[in-house]
Structures are given as C-alpha cells and as structure tokens.
Amino acid sequence: MIRYPFMLCMLLFLLGTSIVPAQDTIFRLGPEQMEDGYLRFPPITEWKFKEGNDPNWAKPDYDDSQWIQMDSAQVMALSYDQQGVFEGWFRFQFQLESGFDQLPTFLVSSNVAATEVYLDGERAAQFGVIGGDIADYRRNRYTSDLIEVEPGKTYSMAIHFYDHMGKVTQFLLKDELKTLDPESFLVLATEAKAAEREALREKSLAYVQFTLGLTTVLSLLIWLIWALNRRHKHLLLLAILATANVGLPVKDASQWESYPRGGLLLNAEYEAFSLLIGVVSGVTLTVVLPMLLAMLFIGFIPKWLKITGAFVIFILAPFVTLTFTYDGFEWAQYLPPLVVVLAAGLCVFYLIKYRKEIRGAKWAIVIGLLVCAVMQAAGVIGARSGFIDRESLNYFIYLYTILIPVSFVVYVALWLRETQLSERKKALEVARVSRENQRILKEQNRTLDAEVQKRTRELRASLDNLKETQSQLIHAEKMASLGELTAGIAHEIKNPLNFINNFSELNAELLAELEEEITNGNLEEVKQLAKDIAENEQKITHHGQRADNIVRGMLQHSRSGDGK
C-alpha cells in the first residue's frame, strides 16, 4: 500500500521535471566543447522563445514560464509576418566551467538579422541596429562583441531577435527565406579567434572593395574605348560582359556593407539583392559570351543566336525567377544550369571549330575564359572535397572575377595595337603606292614630255613644211598671177606695138613709093604719099603713147603696192 503512493509520487515528480521550463536549466559550457577557438551555445531547440517585443523580457527575474520550447520543425517554420517582419525573444541560462586555456569572451552571431544580447538584464552585445523606424534598421555585419563573463558564474541570457524582409525579398523569395536554423547562431570565441575573424572580415571586405573598384574601373575603361570606336560591335559586347561581371563583387559587397534603406530596396535585403544581381549577371554572361565569340570568329551574330538570347532574357529568366518558389514549379530550378551548360557547349563549339582563327589579341580572351573555367572547376571540386577552405575559395572567386575584365582589357589593348599596326601598315602601303604612283607619274610625265617634244618637233617641221609649201604656193600663185599679169600686159602692149609695127612697115613701103614717085616726078602722088605717111606717123605716135600709158600705169600700181 505504501509502495503505490510512493510510485505515484515518483511518477508525478518525473512528469513535473519533464515540463519544467528550460529557463531553470543551466547549460554548462566546458573546455571540451571548444572547437577551433569557438564555443557554441546549445541548439535553439533548447532555448525558450516568445514572439513579439517587450523590454521587460530582458530582465533576469522575468517569469518566462509561458514561453515555448520549440523542436526543429517549429524552428524551421518560423517566418515573417505580412509586413515582412520577424521579431522575438529567446532566453536561457548558461555557465562557463573552469579550465579554459583562453577564456572565450567574444560573442559572435552567424545570423544576418539584427540582434541584441542581454546578460542579467544588461545589454552586453549588439549585432546590427534594431530601430523603431525601418530607416534606422541595419542587419548584422558579422562583427563580434566583447562580453564580460567569468567561469563558474551563472548568467541569464536574453536575445532580442529582429529581422525585416523588404518588398523585393517578399516578392522574389516569398516563404522560401528561412528565418532560423535549429543550431545556435550565437557562439563564444577566444580573443585570438575573434581577432582572426575580424581580420578575415576586414580582409574579405578589402578584397571585395578592391575587386569591385577594379572591375568597375575596367568596365568603364572598356565602355570609354567603345564610345571612341562605336563601329566595332565586339567592343560593346565586351563592355556589357565586363559590366555584368561587376555584379559578382557587388553581390558579395552587399553582405558586408550597409546600403540605404527605405522605399523598395532595403539594407536587409541582400538576399534578394544578391538574387537579382546574380540573375542579371548570370543571364548576361550566359547570353552575351557566345555572341562575343561569334562576333570575334565569324564577324557577326547569327540570327538564331539573337533570337535565343532574347528568349532567355525576356521569357526564360523572368519565368524562372518568378516561379521557382511556387509548388509544382520546382523543376524550374534546373533550367538555369541547363542554359549555362548549353551556352558553355556553344562557346566550346566556337573555340574548336574556329581554333585556326584564334591568334593575336583573341588569345587574351580565350586564355582568360579557359583559366576562369579551370579555376571555377578547381574551386568547386576543392571546396566539396575539403581541400580548399572558405577563405581560399573566396580568393578563387575574387581572382577569376578580376581575371575576366583583365583579360578583356588585355584583349582591347592588343586589339588596339593590332589595329594601330594594321592602320600603320595600310598607311605605309598607301605611301608606297603613292610613291610608286608618283614614280610612274613622273615616268609618264617624262615620256609625255618627250612625246610632246617629239610631236612639237614634228609639228614644227610640219609647220615649217607647211610654211615652205605655203610660201611656194604663194610664190607659185604670185608667179601665176605675175604670168597672168604679164600675159595681160603683153597682150595690152602687143596691140599698140602691132599697130606701130604695122604702120611702121606701111610707112616704110610708102617711103619707098614716095622715093619712086619723086624720081618719077609725080608730085600729086608724092603729096598723097606724104600725107598718108604723116597720118600713119600720127597713128604710130598714138599707139606709142598708148603703150607708154600702160607701162606708166603698171609702174604706178607697183609703187602703190610697195607703199602699202
């Protein structure tokens, strides 16, 4: 009889202890739990949680008996409200045991949400900024805070957890953005590990900033070169690819730097921002790279490639981005890798088919792409096999991110040099042809001068012959005219001379008859004959004067012609 009440009491005791709030449990953390300088707190499933916000919840004596203790499924199910806000408090007790070689006194949060940590009611650490106004909200930038803890002392830890998912994230990621994992997001780190973590963070930030700055400058340089050479379309494709490549360090920078909040894009939305940057950069690199190789090797972009690129950019990419989180569209997540594989295959096809065309500046792009592909493959394989740690993998990412625009700039520099040499060669060829033309022109001029001189001499000789012939013709004409004139003059003179000769012969006969008649004494006949002789003499004088007038007229005409 006594045994049964005792067993009943024991049962009630066990049941009671099973439902005792977790706040009564003190988690003891010892040196044996240290892992590489980190001391992780118990899982969230062993913490107490209450959604909402009340500053009194930070007090160590606050009664949290009504708070819940979640299992893994409940932790994974925590989500944002309709405004995209998740806010709640966690509470538990812990105690550091003695025996630590180096006491872990730096608190580190691996969650991006803004978090305030209270020890015994006093705020001991803060990660990000929990502001009353959304414009004041800042997410955790992976810093560490020094807290004052002592071994053997029990501390009441209250954690104010706040995150805000903005409009872009709500639209793109919807319910797929997890708030928490069951594992604790808070760890304690030694001073050396915290310093190492901070140095790594600063180094990573420096690498990101350097990569972002360098890739931005190189892309702007390529844009400037294209602006000065707009007729070369491959320079435009290079500028687009270099600009898309800037999205890789921008994606990483969004996790380390604070961005202006408010409006559509919030500082807290680096997930959505990274997604958008990744989609835009990935789609651009996937679509434009084969076009660049086509332009380099065949001189133009095939029409089918343009249509395919437009389909990927304006249809496939928006479809995958907007549907991959919906039930029934899980298969959409396999489309981007498929497109990337097809684009890579197309690039390999161009490289193999037109391998004989790879020379000069084109080697810069080909070598850059091959090295980046090898580095990506080595980074992925090394990271999955454990040969490459996260820091080394980041270096791989930063290196091939820089290598892409560097190879583009090297190509542009070599291309400009080749273009300059080609233009110089063309100029030299033009100068040589010009000199040859000048030589030929001079030779032709000399030949032409000789021919002109020869023709001139021939023309001069012909002219001299012509003049001589003309002179001869003139002389002949003059002689002919003179002959005609002489014949006319002779004819004109001959008539009076004939009369003179005739009358002279007649007078000679009449004088003979006159002497005979004088001898005969025939006076009448003598008188008649003397009269006839006198008449004939007058006629002879008349015709003599006529001939004299003709000769005098000729002389006067000759004198007047000489005077003219």
Side-chain angles (χ1 to χ4, degrees):
M1 297 290 297
I2 301 175
R3 180 173 56 179
Y4 293 106
F6 174 77
M7 294 179 62
L8 180 60
C9 291
M10 290 295 296
L11 179 61
L12 292 175
F13 174 77
L14 293 175
L15 290 174
T17 55
S18 65
I19 59 174
V20 171
Q23 183 66 30
D24 298 333
T25 302
I26 300 175
F27 299 112
R28 289 176 172 80
L29 309 177
E32 68 280 359
Q33 297 172 283
M34 291 285 294
E35 294 181 4
D36 193 24
Y38 290 106
L39 181 62
R40 184 173 295 277
F41 287 103
I44 296 178
T45 54
E46 299 184 28
W47 302 359
K48 277 199 154 186
F49 171 75
K50 184 174 180 61
E51 190 170 358
N53 179 34
D54 186 346
N56 293 322
W57 295 348
K59 297 178 180 180
D61 56 353
Y62 179 79
D63 181 12
D64 56 7
S65 58
Q66 301 300 319
W67 289 27
I68 63 173
Q69 184 173 343
M70 300 176 292
D71 56 21
S72 298
Q74 290 174 315
V75 174
M76 297 290 290
L78 293 175
S79 61
Y80 299 85
D81 59 18
Q82 294 182 351
Q83 286 72 37
V85 176
F86 174 79
E87 187 173 15
W89 284 72
F90 297 94
R91 290 172 61 92
F92 64 89
Q93 290 182 335
F94 74 95
Q95 181 184 99
L96 294 180
E97 297 179 351
S98 60
F100 287 94
D101 295 333
Q102 186 177 0
L103 190 65
T105 57
F106 284 84
L107 189 63
V108 178
S109 174
S110 60
N111 195 288
V112 297
T115 306
E116 293 178 343
V117 180
Y118 294 85
L119 289 180
D120 295 337
E122 299 293 333
R123 188 166 67 181
Q126 178 175 344
F127 304 100
V129 178
I130 301 177
D133 189 350
I134 192 173
D136 299 328
Y137 172 58
R138 293 291 184 274
R139 276 192 165 181
N140 178 25
R141 296 176 59 187
Y142 302 103
T143 58
S144 58
D145 270 0
L146 175 65
I147 61 175
E148 297 181 0
V149 290
E150 300 175 1
K153 182 178 179 180
T154 301
Y155 295 93
S156 174
M157 177 175 284
I159 305 164
H160 183 192
F161 188 91
Y162 180 90
D163 195 14
H164 189 103
M165 180 175 62
K167 298 177 183 178
V168 174
T169 311
Q170 294 179 56
F171 177 72
L172 293 177
L173 299 181
K174 304 177 180 65
D175 296 332
E176 293 298 317
L177 186 60
K178 295 188 298 182
T179 306
L180 288 169
D181 290 320
E183 291 296 325
S184 172
F185 57 87
L186 290 178
V187 295
L188 287 172
T190 62
E191 182 177 2
K193 185 57 67 172
E196 178 183 341
R197 179 185 176 87
E198 183 64 20
L200 177 59
R201 194 186 74 87
E202 295 297 332
K203 185 186 297 185
S204 299
L205 179 57
Y207 282 136
V208 169
Q209 291 175 337
F210 172 77
T211 304
L212 178 59
L214 181 59
T215 53
T216 302
V217 170
L218 293 179
S219 64
L220 291 176
L221 177 61
I222 297 175
W223 278 110
L224 176 60
I225 295 175
W226 169 77
L228 299 176
N229 302 270
R230 292 191 178 183
R231 61 189 182 92
H232 299 286
K233 294 182 179 179
H234 68 286
L235 295 179
L236 175 60
L237 297 178
L238 283 174
I240 293 174
L241 286 172
T243 304
N245 186 69
V246 175
L248 298 177
V250 167
K251 178 174 66 66
D252 292 333
S254 66
Q255 302 183 31
W256 301 104
E257 287 296 321
S258 296
Y259 287 84
R261 289 180 49 84
L264 183 62
L265 183 63
L266 305 180
N267 175 39
E269 293 186 315
Y270 77 89
E271 296 94 347
F273 186 63
S274 299
L275 176 62
L276 289 175
I277 291 296
V279 169
V280 173
S281 299
V283 170
T284 303
L285 292 171
T286 303
V287 172
V288 179
L289 186 56
M291 293 184 179
L292 173 64
L293 295 181
M295 181 64 70
L296 290 177
F297 294 136
I298 63 179
F300 66 93
I301 302 175
K303 186 175 181 180
W304 64 268
L305 187 56
K306 294 180 180 178
I307 296 175
T308 304
F311 172 78
V312 172
I313 293 175
F314 298 109
I315 298 178
L316 186 60
F319 170 78
V320 173
T321 303
L322 299 176
T323 61
F324 80 97
T325 58
Y326 285 100
D327 294 336
F329 288 92
E330 293 80 3
W331 54 269
Q333 62 182 323
Y334 299 106
L335 292 178
L338 178 61
V339 173
V340 172
V341 171
L342 293 177
L346 183 59
C347 293
V348 173
F349 167 76
Y350 278 123
L351 293 176
I352 295 176
K353 182 176 182 180
Y354 299 100
R355 60 188 180 276
K356 295 182 179 179
E357 300 294 329
I358 303 175
R359 56 179 178 270
K362 296 177 183 177
W363 275 111
I365 292 181
V366 173
I367 292 175
L369 293 179
L370 292 178
V371 171
C372 288
V374 171
M375 291 181 63
Q376 278 188 315
V380 172
I381 296 174
R384 291 188 175 182
S385 61
F387 288 105
I388 300 178
D389 57 14
R390 177 63 183 175
E391 182 179 1
S392 300
L393 182 61
N394 286 338
Y395 296 154
F396 267 78
I397 296 174
Y398 300 145
L399 186 56
Y400 75 68
T401 301
I402 294 175
L403 187 59
I404 292 176
V406 167
S407 64
F408 290 169
V409 171
V410 172
Y411 164 79
V412 172
L414 294 177
W415 175 80
L416 289 175
R417 182 175 179 274
E418 290 178 355
T419 303
Q420 183 181 9
L421 292 177
S422 177
E423 294 297 331
R424 183 178 179 183
K425 184 177 180 181
K426 290 180 181 179
L428 293 176
E429 182 65 19
V430 170
R432 187 190 65 78
V433 172
S434 178
R435 289 194 298 270
E436 184 67 19
N437 291 337
Q438 289 179 358
R439 186 188 64 78
I440 295 174
L441 183 59
K442 289 181 180 179
E443 188 68 24
Q444 290 178 348
N445 287 337
R446 285 194 294 269
T447 303
L448 184 60
D449 289 341
E451 188 69 20
V452 169
Q453 292 177 2
K454 180 181 178 182
R455 294 289 183 180
T456 301
R457 288 194 297 271
E458 292 178 355
L459 290 175
R460 188 176 289 110
S462 299
L463 182 60
D464 293 341
N465 292 334
L466 182 60
K467 288 182 179 179
E468 183 178 357
T469 301
Q470 185 178 10
S471 299
Q472 291 177 357
L473 290 175
I474 293 174
H475 179 70
E477 185 178 357
K478 287 182 179 180
M479 293 301 294
S481 299
L482 181 60
E484 292 178 358
L485 179 60
T486 302
I489 293 173
H491 179 73
E492 291 295 331
I493 294 176
K494 185 176 180 181
N495 288 332
L497 290 178
N498 287 332
F499 282 113
I500 291 174
N501 291 331
N502 290 332
F503 284 113
S504 296
E505 291 176 358
L506 182 58
N507 281 345
E509 291 177 359
L510 290 176
L511 286 174
E513 289 179 5
L514 180 59
E515 288 179 355
E516 185 181 350
E517 289 298 329
I518 290 173
T519 301
N520 293 329
N522 189 356
L523 185 60
E524 288 296 330
E525 286 294 331
V526 172
K527 289 182 180 180
Q528 187 60 39
L529 288 171
K531 183 178 177 181
D532 291 336
I533 291 171
E535 289 178 355
N536 289 338
E537 188 66 24
Q538 290 179 354
K539 291 181 179 179
I540 289 172
T541 302
H542 171 70
H543 287 290
Q545 290 178 350
R546 180 182 171 192
D548 182 64
N549 289 334
I550 292 172
V551 172
R552 186 175 297 152
M554 291 177 60
L555 291 174
Q556 290 180 354
H557 179 72
S558 175
R559 291 190 185 98
S560 63
D562 294 340
K564 292 180 181 178

